[in-house]
Structures are given as structure tokens and as C-alpha cells.
């Protein structure tokens, strides 16, 4: 078995939690990657895989490396890492949107989608370089023997280059997402205002598969789905091309040689203003950008391990941290907010995404202290009325303790906050959050998300990143 289990290492309750978490990852393993959930999400998801690798490294560093290598194997030649890599043996109707919606290998040709694997055309938060570094650290001997970092480094560098060069839609140095699915917190109230400009696709033009699993009343509404479908279809119909595609010559910067630049697509994309993705929806999100910055620091360490200099990347991470504060910090709210690039203003909604920059080592001390105060105050209740930090403002009008990203607590964001608290010397609060997360992972059977007040399980159980991050917190 690949489970490294030492019964002397942990008290009985924790060691059985560890075994059960490892078992979830075993059950969700397909042979080359791990599904988030057998029923609901039967393919490979990008940021799920990064979090899963972070936990998997404690039971099998080899599988953790393979998880990331499989994902990176589906990278587009423009550098983007797609948010879903489809498993060809899963029936088309098991998940919507399916490969026949995204049509990556045809519609994504000009942007360099791979020919042999089907993927989506949007992205998810860049947790990957951070994950790669943590996976390496778990077993440097194996990592060096397999040339793991040497192989993933150019792909991770191309990924960051894509985000920084193609996705700075606001012009202030930060990355924009062009779809709520890209940020990963699909129906957060932070998207309500920017999404309201998007004309929904008619409900009869698509069939949701998510409603067949779990509790439909917790899932995003049909109206939200219509808007998600419209945004994704428009991006697809523009060849998944981003701004600046035509004038900067993608091929030279992209990774690998799978790209096939198609002149007619280029010209079409260059025509409109603003062209490509983000025409109707472009948002600078604090968590997405903070994860990019954390991954820039990790990429600097990876470069150093490979014998190159890391100082330029560390410096870039510091500049990005300054841009994050400059563009998204709201002193009155005591937290970071999303910037609606098309509307040109900060979105007045408190999502947990605005606490995630606590992760960053370079955050000014007064800002880190204010974020901790906000997390512990009435809007998020950490150490007070909630057991885990909710995905959205307890006092917000849209708050609902069971509806997906509009209130429930998620384990990945709580794991990020636990790290952030430790990063800024809040060891007592971090230990309490860790304990609560472990207990609730245990009692909820590794739920996808939970009621932040009671810890009651919601969504799928046996959820990949919940099990993985449990393993990481146990170590
Ligand atoms: C969906 C897989 C994904 C996560 C997202 C989460 C959800 C897909 O599941 O999106 O159909 O709702 O919002 O963050 O990566 O776990």
C-alpha cells in the first residue's frame, strides 16, 4: 500500500482520521489524477488538483507529483492551465458543461489547446507552483531522481506568464478573471453586480447535470447558470483569445509547440475593443491574485533549487503585493474587495476571498492585523459565533448558510487562512482553526462544504480537497 502509516505517530482518533482521509483520496484516484467527487465532479479540476497534491504528498509523494504532471500535460501552448481536464471514459452527460460544449481542440486551436485531450477553456486560481514546491519538499530525493521540478518549472513559468501578460485587463498589474468559475467560488455574491450585465443563455438551451447530485436547493440558481453559460460560450466563440493576442505574437512566449496560430482568428480577435475574454465580465479578485503571488514566491524557490536565481521573482511578488494593496484594499471594510473592471469600482460585498491575502508574507503589518480583526469580527465570526470561516459575510443581505459559496464554510479557504494566521504570528488562532477543521472534516465525512455555524455537512461527501487538506493539517 502507498499509505505510510505509523501507529505510534498520532493518538488513535487522529490516526484513524488520517487513514480515512487517505482512503478518500485512494477512492477518488483514477490512475493518473484524483477526482474532486466521484458523483458530482468526475473529471480533473485544476485548483482541486493543486490542493489534492498538497495532501497527497503525505501519503504518496509519487502520486502527488503525478497529479500535477497530469494536469500540466493538458496545458495550452499559450500557457493557460484549463480548469477541467476531461476523462474520456466518463459519459458526456455526467457533467455539464461537457467537452462538446467547450470544444477545446477545435475552438481553442488558435490559443493552443492540446489536440489529444479535451479540456475546458477557462482557468482556475494558480495554486500550482505553491503545490509543486510543497510536493517537492515532502520527498526531495524522489523529486530530484524523477527530475520533477525541472520538468514542471517551464510549464509553471509559462502559466504565470499567461496570467500576467494576457489577463491584466484592468491595466494595473493584477490578473482579471473572465468568468466566475475561474475564481472558483462560483456563485459568490461578489459576482452578482458584475454578472447582472450579462444576458443569460435561455434555460432550455442547456441541461444541468449538477442538479442530479446532492441538494439542488444549495446549488446556484438557473438564472446564474444561464449567465455562466453565456459568458463561457461567448469566450469560446471568440476562440478563447485574450487581449493583446494579435499584437504580441503568442508563439514566442507560449510553452511547447502544439499551438497553431490561425490568422483569421487573430484578426477577428483583434477587431473589437475590448476583445476576447472579459468583454462583458472582468473582475480582479483578491484570492486569485494572492494565490498567484504565493505561487510566484514558490516559483522563486523552485528556480533556486534548480540552480537559477530567484530574486527577480521574489521582487515581482513584492510588486504584485503592492498592486494588490493599491487596487483592492478597502480600509473602511478592513479587508480586500473585488474590483469590477468593466464597472470600474470595488464591489461592496465581503467574500472570504478578501481575507485570503493574509497568506502573503509581504503584506504590511497593519493590513495583516486589520484582516485578522475582520476575520474575528461580526462578519466572519472566527473564534466566536462560527466554527469555520464562512464563504461570505454573515451579516450580508445575500447570506445563506447552505447555498454553496453564499455562506457555507469550505475547507480550502479555511486551510489558506490557517496558513495566513501562522504566517503573521497568530499561532493560537491558527491552532484553534486547525482543530475545528479537523473535527468537522471528521464528523462531516469530508464534506464538500459545511454550515459555518453548526458544521453540518452540505454538498458531496468524500470530497477530494477536504480529505487532502485534512492530511496536510494532520502533519
Ligand atoms: C461546479 C470542483 C469544483 C471546484 C469549484 C467549485 C465547484 C464546479 O466544484 O465548481 O459545477 O459547480 O465551485 O471551486 O473547483 O470541486
Amino acid at each position: 500500500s502507498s499509505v505510510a502509516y505509523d501507529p505510534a505517530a498520532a493518538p488513535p482518533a487522529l490516526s484513524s482520521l488520517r487513514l480515512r482521509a487517505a482512503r478518500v483520496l485512494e477512492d477518488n484516484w483514477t490512475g493518473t489524477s484524483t477526482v474532486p467527487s466521484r458523483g458530482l465532479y468526475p473529471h480533473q479540476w485544476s485548483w482541486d488538483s493543486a490542493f489534492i497534491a498538497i495532501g497527497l504528498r503525505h501519503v504518496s509523494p509519487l502520486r502527488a507529483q503525478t497529479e500535477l504532471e497530469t494536469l500540466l500535460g493538458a496545458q495550452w501552448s499559450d500557457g493557460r492551465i484549463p480548469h477541467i481536464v476531461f476523462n474520456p471514459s466518463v459519459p458526456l452527460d455526467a457533467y455539464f458543461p461537457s467537452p462538446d460544449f467547450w470544444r477545446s481542440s477545435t475552438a481553442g486551436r488558435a490559443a493552443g489547446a492540446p489536440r489529444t485531450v479535451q479540456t475546458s477553456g477557462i482557468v482556475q486560481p494558480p495554486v500550482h507552483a505553491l503545490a509543486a514546491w510543497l510536493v517537492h519538499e515532502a520527498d526531495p530525493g524522489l523529486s530530484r531522481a524523477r527530475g520533477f521540478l525541472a520538468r514542471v518549472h517551464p510549464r509553471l513559468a509559462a502559466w504565470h506568464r499567461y496570467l500576467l501578460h494576457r489577463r491584466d485587463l484592468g491595466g494595473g498589474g493584477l490578473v482579471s478573471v473572465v468568468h466566475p468559475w475561474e475564481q472558483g467560488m462560483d456563485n459568490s455574491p461578489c459576482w452578482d453586480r458584475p454578472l447582472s450585465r450579462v444576458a443569460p443563455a435561455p434555460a432550455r438551451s442547456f441541461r444541468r447535470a449538477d442538479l442530479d447530485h446532492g441538494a439542488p436547493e444549495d446549488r446556484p440558481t438557473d438564472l446564474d447558470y444561464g449567465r455562466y453559460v453565456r459568458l463561457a460560450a461567448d469566450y469560446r466563440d471568440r476562440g478563447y483569445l485574450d487581449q493583446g493576442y494579435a499584437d504580441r505574437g503568442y508563439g514566442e512566449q507560449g510553452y511547447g509547440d502544439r499551438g497553431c496560430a490561425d490568422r483569421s482568428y487573430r484578426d477577428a480577435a483583434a477587431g473589437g475593443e475590448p476583445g476576447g475574454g472579459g468583454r462583458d465580465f472582468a473582475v480582479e479578485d483578491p484570492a486569485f491574485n494572492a494565490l498567484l503571488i504565493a505561487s510566484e514566491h514558490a516559483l522563486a524557490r523552485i528556480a533556486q533549487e534548480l540552480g537559477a536565481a530567484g530574486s527577480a521573482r521574489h521582487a515581482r511578488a513584492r510588486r504584485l503585493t503592492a498592486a494588490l494593496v493599491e487596487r483592492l484594499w478597502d480600509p473602511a471594510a478592513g479587508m480586500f474587495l473585488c474590483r469590477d473592471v468593466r464597472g470600474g469600482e470595488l464591489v461592496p460585498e465581503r467574500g472570504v476571498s478578501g481575507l485570503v491575502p493574509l497568506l502573503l508574507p509581504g503584506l504590511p503589518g497593519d493590513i495583516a492585523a486589520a484582516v485578522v480583526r475582520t476575520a474575528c469580527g461580526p462578519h466572519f465570526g472566527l473564534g466566536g459565533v462560527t466554527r469555520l470561516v464562512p464563504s461570505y459575510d454573515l451579516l450580508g443581505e445575500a447570506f445563506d448558510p447552505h447555498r454553496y459559496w453564499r455562506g457555507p464554510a469550505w475547507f480550502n479557504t479555511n486551510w489558506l487562512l490557517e496558513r495566513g494566521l501562522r504566517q503573521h504570528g497568530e499561532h493560537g488562532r491558527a491552532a484553534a482553526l486547525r482543530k475545528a477543521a479537523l473535527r468537522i472534516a471528521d464528523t462531516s465525512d469530508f464534506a464538500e462544504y459545511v454550515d459555518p455555524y453548526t458544521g453540518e455537512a452540505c454538498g458531496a461527501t468524500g470530497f477530494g480537497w477536504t480529505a487532502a487538506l485534512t492530511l496536510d493539517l494532520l502533519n
Side-chain angles (χ1 to χ4, degrees):
S1 152
S2 58
V3 180
Y5 170 56
D6 174 3
L14 290 187
S15 61
S16 89
L17 180 60
R18 182 184 158 86
L19 278 179
R20 282 172 45 229
R23 168 52 59 95
V24 168
L25 295 184
E26 193 81 47
D27 289 347
N28 291 6
W29 177 250
T30 64
T32 49
S33 68
T34 310
V35 296
S37 149
R38 280 278 168 198
L40 195 53
Y41 310 121
H43 303 283
Q44 183 177 29
W45 260 261
S46 163
W47 78 325
D48 294 67
S49 272
F51 288 122
I52 286 168
I54 289 169
L56 207 41
R57 70 191 170 131
H58 301 295
V59 290
S60 170
L62 178 60
R63 254 163 69 201
Q65 292 178 21
T66 307
E67 179 84 37
L68 294 173
E69 289 163 1
T70 301
L71 180 71
L72 290 169
Q75 184 172 29
W76 294 26
S77 70
D78 68 1
R80 93 183 68 195
I81 297 178
H83 102 295
I84 300 176
V85 183
F86 288 103
N87 180 340
S89 65
V90 169
L92 272 187
D93 62 1
Y95 184 79
F96 175 83
S98 43
D100 54 336
F101 173 87
W102 297 104
R103 289 174 231 143
S104 59
S105 54
T106 48
R109 223 153 37 98
R115 293 172 187 283
T116 50
V117 58
Q118 298 296 324
T119 76
S120 71
I122 58 172
V123 302
Q124 265 190 334
V127 195
H128 313 90
L130 175 63
W133 176 249
L134 295 176
V135 165
H136 163 80
E137 275 190 317
D139 191 343
L142 177 75
S143 168
R144 288 184 194 120
R146 296 186 67 246
F148 171 65
L149 291 182
R151 279 181 295 116
V152 297
H153 177 265
R155 292 181 178 253
L156 294 169
W159 167 222
H160 287 205
R161 213 154 44 226
Y162 167 77
L163 292 172
L164 290 163
H165 291 274
R166 299 295 163 213
R167 287 301 194 89
D168 178 8
L169 306 182
L174 297 183
V175 172
S176 287
V177 294
V178 299
H179 195 296
W181 288 338
E182 292 201 314
Q183 189 267 0
M185 304 180 194
D186 306 8
N187 65 343
S188 164
C190 299
W191 313 128
D192 290 358
R193 188 184 285 197
L195 262 188
S196 66
R197 276 182 232 114
V198 177
R204 61 179 187 288
S205 66
F206 57 94
R207 199 190 87 77
R208 297 176 63 174
D210 60 310
L211 298 178
D212 302 346
H213 304 271
E217 65 278 12
D218 291 358
R219 299 280 310 173
T221 61
D222 281 341
L223 179 61
D224 282 341
Y225 249 78
R227 294 190 157 117
Y228 303 154
V229 169
R230 165 75 65 198
L231 279 176
D234 281 359
Y235 191 29
R236 176 196 65 203
D237 295 344
R238 289 160 182 275
Y240 296 115
L241 298 177
D242 298 294
Q243 69 163 13
Y245 177 85
D247 46 273
R248 281 202 204 152
Y250 240 130
E252 300 136 45
Q253 286 197 337
Y255 177 81
D257 56 2
R258 292 167 309 202
C260 163
D262 176 326
R263 264 230 76 83
S264 57
Y265 253 133
R266 284 186 173 213
D267 296 342
E273 218 353 90
R279 191 185 57 154
D280 296 330
F281 181 97
V283 175
E284 291 170 1
D285 171 75
F288 193 104
N289 282 283
L291 288 165
L292 175 63
I293 296 167
S295 275
E296 273 289 310
H297 282 302
L299 212 43
R301 294 201 184 94
I302 291 173
Q304 279 160 348
E305 160 68 23
L306 294 171
S311 46
R313 283 214 185 264
H314 281 307
R316 179 148 84 183
R318 284 193 295 273
R319 283 199 303 277
L320 284 166
T321 305
L324 186 77
V325 170
E326 160 86 27
R327 289 183 68 81
L328 306 184
W329 175 248
D330 186 291
M335 60 185 293
F336 292 85
L337 301 179
C338 288
R339 178 174 292 279
D340 176 3
V341 171
R342 295 293 163 244
E345 65 206 353
L346 290 178
V347 178
E349 294 284 5
R350 295 173 169 85
V352 68
S353 155
L355 304 177
V356 170
L358 189 63
L359 188 65
L360 300 175
L363 205 60
D366 56 329
I367 290 188
V371 172
V372 173
R373 275 198 304 280
T374 302
C376 298
H379 297 286
F380 293 94
L382 174 64
V385 296
T386 54
R387 297 185 63 193
L388 289 178
V389 177
S391 48
Y392 172 65
D393 186 358
L394 299 168
L395 306 178
E397 238 175 79
F399 177 79
D400 177 338
H402 286 177
R403 200 179 267 276
Y404 217 41
W405 292 98
R406 299 174 84 84
W410 291 70
F411 287 85
N412 62 336
T413 51
N414 277 276
W415 180 85
L416 291 166
L417 290 174
E418 194 270 347
R419 263 181 104 77
L421 289 167
R422 272 192 286 124
Q423 176 70 52
H424 292 280
E426 295 280 351
H427 296 286
R429 288 191 167 105
L433 182 55
R434 171 181 175 274
K435 202 167 148 201
L438 289 175
R439 179 156 305 155
I440 295 172
D442 186 2
T443 55
S444 74
D445 196 16
F446 308 104
E448 184 181 6
Y449 50 99
V450 299
D451 181 314
Y453 291 116
T454 65
E456 180 199 332
C458 303
T461 53
F463 192 67
W465 78 40
T466 306
L469 298 175
T470 297
L471 285 167
D472 195 60
L473 290 174
L474 282 171
N475 278 272

